[in-house]
Amino acid sequence: MLAGAVAAALGLGSVTVVVLLLWVASPYPDSSGPGGALRIAADLWLLAHGAMLVREETRSGAPAPVGLTPLLLGALPVWLLYRAARHALERGEPEGAQDRVPDGPGRDAGSGPGPDREGTRAAPGTIGWLCAGYLAVGAVAVVHASGGPLHVDVLSAVLHLPPVAVAAAAAGVWTAHG
């Protein structure tokens, strides 16, 4: 669960760093202060997962949806969760560990429970726990980003964030199993 939360925090943190850097470097910063910049960072992170943003301040006065996601923005959170899932199931044995001398009489160093025996049962649990940590951070981001002139559509975030997280974690688990 911690690995999923760390993956979400790294993705959210990297977007936040860029947004705060641009906010500080701007000659005319937003009047909402650093809280507004943090809200925009959470909005962009949720937009990267496919959630729809809503802009309240338009010329016509009617709220307008913002749904165009830059491709590279969506790649970062997916890659971080994919990597966390892959590393959660990989054994960490050095290359060539199966080529070592047996540990004892009739036992090979590589004959323990490997991904084929134990990892297959652990895969759904790994996906579930990683996604639970990831979605916990996502829930905090949704609550934080639900206010302001540009805010996330909560229903859209609830419908988009879990499938993206499950798909990325499942791809990482699948890669770890070979």
Side-chain angles (χ1 to χ4, degrees):
M1 188 169 174
L2 182 63
V6 167
L10 285 174
L12 184 57
S14 62
V15 172
T16 302
V17 165
V18 172
V19 168
L20 285 176
L21 182 70
L22 292 173
W23 178 76
V24 167
S26 174
Y28 303 106
D30 188 23
S31 62
S32 63
L38 292 174
R39 191 172 298 111
I40 293 295
D43 284 334
L44 288 174
W45 185 75
L46 292 167
L47 181 68
H49 291 85
M52 188 71 74
L53 301 180
V54 178
R55 183 176 176 184
E56 294 291 334
E57 299 173 359
T58 60
R59 288 186 182 218
S60 66
V66 178
L68 182 64
T69 306
L71 190 58
L72 190 57
L73 186 63
L76 178 68
V78 169
W79 177 73
L80 286 169
L81 189 56
Y82 164 82
R83 189 171 156 234
R86 188 174 48 115
H87 286 295
L89 286 181
E90 286 182 345
R91 286 281 176 204
E93 288 185 38
E95 296 264 341
Q98 283 98 8
D99 299 335
R100 289 185 287 173
V101 180
D103 288 349
R107 290 186 49 201
D108 187 12
S111 65
D116 293 335
R117 294 185 192 130
E118 183 181 287
T120 305
R121 290 187 312 237
T126 302
I127 293 170
W129 282 111
L130 281 171
C131 289
Y134 195 85
L135 294 175
V137 174
V140 171
V142 168
V143 168
H144 184 70
S146 61
L150 179 67
H151 59 87
V152 68
D153 180 26
V154 176
L155 179 63
S156 176
V158 167
L159 292 176
H160 285 92
L161 195 60
V164 169
V166 169
V173 167
W174 183 57
T175 302
H177 282 298

